[in-house]
Amino acid sequence: MSNRVLEVKHATMRFGGLVAVNDLNMHIDKQEIVALIGPNGAGKTTAFNMITGVYKPTSGQVLLDDRIITGMRPDRIAHAGIARTFQNIRLFKALTVLDNVMIAQHLRLGMTWVSSVLRTPKYRKTEAEMYNRAKELLEYMGLWEVRGEIASSLPYGMQRKLEIARALATKPSLLLLDEPAAGMNPAESAELTALIRGIRDQFHLTVLLIEHHMDVVMDISDRIYVLNYGGLIAEGMPAEIQSNDEVIRAYLGGDDDEA
Amino acid sequence: MAKMKKRSVILSILLLAVLVLVLFLIDGHASKYIIRITRLCAINIILALSMNLVQGFTGIFSLGHAGFMAIGAYSVALLTIPVAKKETIFMLEPLIAPLNTLTLPFGVALIIGGLLAAAVAFFIGLPCLRLRGDYLAIATLGFSEIIRILITNAQSLTNGAQGLKSIPKTADVWWCYGIALLTIVFIALLISSSHGRALKAIREDEIAAESMGISLLRHKMLSFMISAFLAAVGGGLYASYIGTIGPDVFQISRTYDILMIVVMGGMGSITGSVMAAFIVTIGQEWLRVLDGPLPFLSFWPENGVAGMRMVVFSLLLLVVILFFRNGLFGHKELTWSSIGNRLSRLAGHKPAKEVNGHE
Ligand SMILES: Nc1ncnc2c1ncn2[C@@H]1O[C@H](COP(=O)(O)OP(=O)(O)OP(=O)(O)O)[C@@H](O)[C@H]1O
Ligand SMILES: [Mg+2]
């Protein structure tokens, strides 16, 4: 078995005339933390959507553990081991914190609805296991105390953490985080950085994250990919990216390349 | 927690005993009219819960209830009317074999009707459940009309516009409430199971649910087929309750009647649907006086205004929705622990902290 978890090969996503992602090539190895950065509208979320099956790439391929997953439905891809969070938080708003995390384990239930309704011994055992795991995850995230609260009533930072807990509940091998530190202050994002590292070590995960907070990105990433106008403009270690002229230009101001 | 659970079980058994006693008294002593309304309440509970499963718990907008009811009703009629009666009913064209020589027990006929409706739901759902919500609403509405047209024209199967009469009135208080109770327990168990949580997740956010590994089509299909099954069982009971059915019984307005109960009670509340089924069923009966002459109002037309009751009833519904935007119960359920908390709060105690039903 190779060490490769994710591989994106020549992936392109077109929306009518707009090329949101153009010929993207990237790869992530086991237990790496990789960041995908770039200015607004660069195509980062679109790349996530191609990887998770929300969009089918116009051309190109996505491989998970050397298996082609291009064009698979999002729920099949979740089964295969990719979990994600959303840039504009998408919790199950009217449900409790606990239910949010329980729901994310449904894909591993492995029983028909008849066993569910009849509460067979096997079902009750699995439900108890799901509950214990939910407890473990929520305690880890510091959310166990609010398990009975309605998700939408949580403060913003907690909602972001709940999204991560929910993603972890699917037992992924690859975790995609879309701007997990958005809206957080420096202290909170420092805490989040430690948390993400902790998650990687504790759950033996591989992480791909999109982030605008450069302090978080530089601190946490093993490697960084930089997108601009849908195309990859740089790839490398944090130090290399920080001193890359093209990246600096892309961030300093859109169209002044020729200046 | 274990003690609380035990207390809930005891209270539920007590409630059940009271219910049985009340039904026993009604069945034995109340007027025929009261007994009829009592039975109709139970049938409406089944129909409302069946609709609430798709609309309230899964968030799918399906309007095919009248059609699924019709499938159940005609199944029960064709399978339970005695053979001798069938010959006199089908005057224009004889009933096709083997239905013309077949009668089955009422319970079996109900189940067959339910399975038939679930199968039809499967074939409607396969193309439509993949599409956006409003497509399903339109498709199910269309299906409902198509069923009615088929019934009107399939003379040798349904006796067309003449309808079917002499349906055995097996659906007494015990049948109606027995099945209503089974339905309540079934829906409660389904909704609180892992599969039920998945349905609610789809209602909350399809994209997130799918990204968490929930197959949208498979779970929507589950909800839609179970709902169709229950609607047909409700329709079968209804056929036995009225004794005579025809295509006109299953107009789209039947669907709206049920929708009204679900909306009033609260989309996504079992308690709400049960309560609202009683309120709407009994309310519509009481308001029947409005359709007739109202001699104490001098300006009122002498022969009354037909349909006035529905006008008033719709206004009442409007008021409910204005003041309780999510119906009487919203997503909430009345449970023994929630009643207990409310009571102890009234008594000035701090309520026991309530954390979902998992412990
Ligand atoms: N479904 C869609 N249909 C049409 N255009 C889209 C769609 N999704 C994204 N786009 C366009 O693709 C481009 C890339 O969008 P994307 O959301 O991937 O950017 P991003 O890098 O995540 O930006 P941000 O940092 O603002 O989140 C944008 O121009 C956007 O308008
Ligand atoms: Mg984005």
Side-chain angles (χ1 to χ4, degrees), chain A residues 90-220:
Chain A
R90 282 182 172 272
L91 288 169
F92 305 125
K93 286 198 187 71
L95 306 181
T96 63
V97 169
L98 180 59
D99 273 350
N100 266 272
V101 180
M102 293 294 280
I103 286 164
Q105 300 182 71
H106 180 64
L107 77 168
R108 311 276 178 223
L109 183 71
M111 263 170 268
T112 63
W113 65 277
V114 181
S115 320
S116 267
V117 170
L118 294 179
R119 302 287 196 273
T120 59
K122 187 162 158 255
Y123 173 83
R124 270 182 288 165
K125 185 165 165 281
T126 312
E127 169 96 7
E129 283 164 9
M130 284 160 71
Y131 178 79
N132 289 335
R133 187 171 157 75
K135 183 174 178 197
E136 195 182 307
L137 285 170
L138 288 173
E139 275 174 347
Y140 189 85
M141 290 288 166
L143 293 170
W144 180 244
E145 289 306 311
V146 294
R147 64 192 177 282
E149 306 288 330
I150 298 299
S152 61
S153 73
L154 293 186
Y156 188 77
M158 281 191 171
Q159 293 197 18
R160 286 242 172 252
K161 281 189 186 169
L162 178 54
E163 264 215 330
I164 298 177
R166 184 180 69 173
L168 289 175
T170 65
K171 291 204 176 146
S173 53
L174 173 65
L175 179 63
L176 307 190
L177 304 171
D178 198 342
E179 303 199 18
M184 289 189 175
N185 61 36
E188 285 172 325
S189 38
E191 189 205 342
L192 184 80
T193 309
L195 187 75
I196 294 172
R197 241 194 223 110
I199 289 169
R200 188 256 316 257
D201 298 337
Q202 171 119 2
F203 302 98
H204 308 294
L205 275 178
T206 308
V207 180
L208 173 63
L209 79 156
I210 296 172
E211 193 44 74
H212 281 300
H213 287 57
M214 279 311 137
D215 43 345
V216 174
V217 171
M218 295 305 161
D219 183 8
I220 204 175

Side-chain angles (χ1 to χ4, degrees), chain A residues 73-75 78-79 84 86 90-96 98-99 102-104 106-107 109 111-113 116-117 119 123 127 130-131 147-149 166 170, chain B residues 186 188-190 192-195 197-198 200-205 207-216 218-219 222 226 331 353-356 358-359:
Chain A
R73 280 199 326 257
D75 58 301
H79 274 270
R84 73 177 290 184
F86 295 88
R90 282 182 172 272
L91 288 169
F92 305 125
K93 286 198 187 71
L95 306 181
T96 63
L98 180 59
D99 273 350
M102 293 294 280
I103 286 164
H106 180 64
L107 77 168
L109 183 71
M111 263 170 268
T112 63
W113 65 277
S116 267
V117 170
R119 302 287 196 273
Y123 173 83
E127 169 96 7
M130 284 160 71
Y131 178 79
R147 64 192 177 282
E149 306 288 330
R166 184 180 69 173
T170 65
Chain B
F186 172 78
L189 283 173
L190 174 64
S192 58
S193 76
S194 190
H195 282 84
R197 286 192 296 258
K200 287 188 259 183
I202 292 173
R203 173 191 72 196
E204 293 298 314
D205 191 323
I207 291 178
E210 200 177 23
S211 291
M212 295 303 128
I214 294 167
S215 159
L216 298 182
R218 197 180 308 165
H219 286 84
L222 172 69
I226 292 177
H331 281 172
K353 191 151 168 71
E354 192 187 349
V355 183
N356 237 25
H358 285 286
E359 281 160 282

Side-chain angles (χ1 to χ4, degrees), chain B residues 220-297:
Chain B
K220 285 179 177 180
M221 190 64 97
L222 172 69
S223 172
F224 191 48
M225 286 174 71
I226 292 177
S227 170
F229 180 93
L230 291 173
V233 169
L237 285 170
Y238 189 70
S240 169
Y241 160 85
I242 48 176
T244 305
I245 56 172
D248 286 349
V249 175
F250 302 101
Q251 310 243 16
I252 303 285
S253 61
R254 289 291 324 155
T255 302
Y256 295 140
D257 285 345
I258 307 165
L259 188 60
M260 185 147 80
I261 297 176
V262 174
V263 170
M264 180 179 262
M267 294 258 198
S269 168
I270 298 173
T271 322
S273 284
V274 174
M275 297 289 185
F278 281 109
I279 295 171
V280 170
T281 313
I282 296 170
Q284 283 190 341
E285 277 308 316
W286 278 348
L287 292 177
R288 219 171 258 283
V289 287
L290 294 173
D291 280 1
L294 299 174
F296 53 92
L297 290 179

Side-chain angles (χ1 to χ4, degrees), chain B residues 38-348:
Chain B
T38 309
R39 281 151 68 208
L40 191 56
C41 285
I43 294 171
N44 280 337
I45 288 174
I46 298 163
L47 293 169
L49 284 178
S50 125
M51 185 182 274
N52 208 341
L53 178 63
V54 280
Q55 311 251 16
F57 288 107
T58 322
I60 319 173
F61 206 46
S62 150
L63 293 173
H65 257 61
F68 294 125
M69 279 179 74
I71 292 176
Y74 273 86
S75 301
V76 163
L78 290 170
L79 292 172
T80 61
I81 296 175
V83 173
K85 287 266 173 55
K86 280 179 180 168
E87 274 165 29
T88 61
I89 294 170
F90 284 82
M91 304 248 281
L92 291 178
E93 279 179 46
L95 177 60
I96 52 164
L99 289 172
N100 56 349
T101 55
L102 184 71
T103 48
L104 291 174
F106 182 57
V108 177
L110 277 179
I111 292 172
I112 290 177
L115 292 176
L116 210 58
V120 171
F122 177 80
F123 287 107
I124 298 172
L126 214 51
C128 296
L129 287 174
R130 293 173 204 270
L131 302 172
R132 260 202 1 252
D134 14 359
Y135 288 98
L136 186 76
I138 293 164
T140 47
L141 215 55
F143 145 76
S144 207
E145 275 306 288
I146 290 169
I147 285 278
R148 244 163 43 76
I149 292 164
L150 286 179
I151 288 174
T152 313
N153 292 293
Q155 194 73 36
S156 58
L157 180 63
T158 62
N159 205 29
Q162 284 76 34
L164 298 172
K165 52 182 191 297
S166 308
I167 304 167
K169 298 205 169 183
T170 319
D172 58 8
V173 163
W174 303 110
W175 269 103
C176 292
Y177 279 83
I179 295 176
L181 198 68
L182 274 179
T183 307
I184 293 171
V185 171
F186 172 78
I187 297 280
L189 283 173
L190 174 64
I191 283 313
S192 58
S193 76
S194 190
H195 282 84
R197 286 192 296 258
L199 298 184
K200 287 188 259 183
I202 292 173
R203 173 191 72 196
E204 293 298 314
D205 191 323
E206 289 197 0
I207 291 178
E210 200 177 23
S211 291
M212 295 303 128
I214 294 167
S215 159
L216 298 182
L217 182 64
R218 197 180 308 165
H219 286 84
K220 285 179 177 180
M221 190 64 97
L222 172 69
S223 172
F224 191 48
M225 286 174 71
I226 292 177
S227 170
F229 180 93
L230 291 173
V233 169
L237 285 170
Y238 189 70
S240 169
Y241 160 85
I242 48 176
T244 305
I245 56 172
D248 286 349
V249 175
F250 302 101
Q251 310 243 16
I252 303 285
S253 61
R254 289 291 324 155
T255 302
Y256 295 140
D257 285 345
I258 307 165
L259 188 60
M260 185 147 80
I261 297 176
V262 174
V263 170
M264 180 179 262
M267 294 258 198
S269 168
I270 298 173
T271 322
S273 284
V274 174
M275 297 289 185
F278 281 109
I279 295 171
V280 170
T281 313
I282 296 170
Q284 283 190 341
E285 277 308 316
W286 278 348
L287 292 177
R288 219 171 258 283
V289 287
L290 294 173
D291 280 1
L294 299 174
F296 53 92
L297 290 179
S298 52
F299 59 86
W300 206 255
E302 209 172 321
N303 296 322
V305 183
M308 195 60 210
R309 129 188 110 112
M310 288 318 292
V311 172
V312 172
F313 209 83
S314 304
L315 283 176
L316 286 180
L317 182 70
L318 215 63
V319 170
V320 169
I321 293 171
L322 278 177
F323 285 95
F324 305 86
R325 207 163 49 83
N326 297 315
L328 295 174
F329 282 82
H331 281 172
K332 293 196 192 64
E333 300 293 352
L334 209 56
T335 61
W336 292 117
S337 62
S338 72
I339 294 172
N341 278 345
R342 180 112 2 128
L343 285 179
S344 61
R345 212 171 302 155
L346 277 180

Side-chain angles (χ1 to χ4, degrees), chain A residues 23-44:
Chain A
D23 194 33
L24 176 66
N25 288 289
M26 58 190 286
H27 65 86
I28 308 173
D29 290 338
K30 208 157 243 162
Q31 299 219 26
E32 267 192 308
I33 297 183
V34 173
L36 180 60
I37 65 171
N40 290 111
K44 306 178 296 291

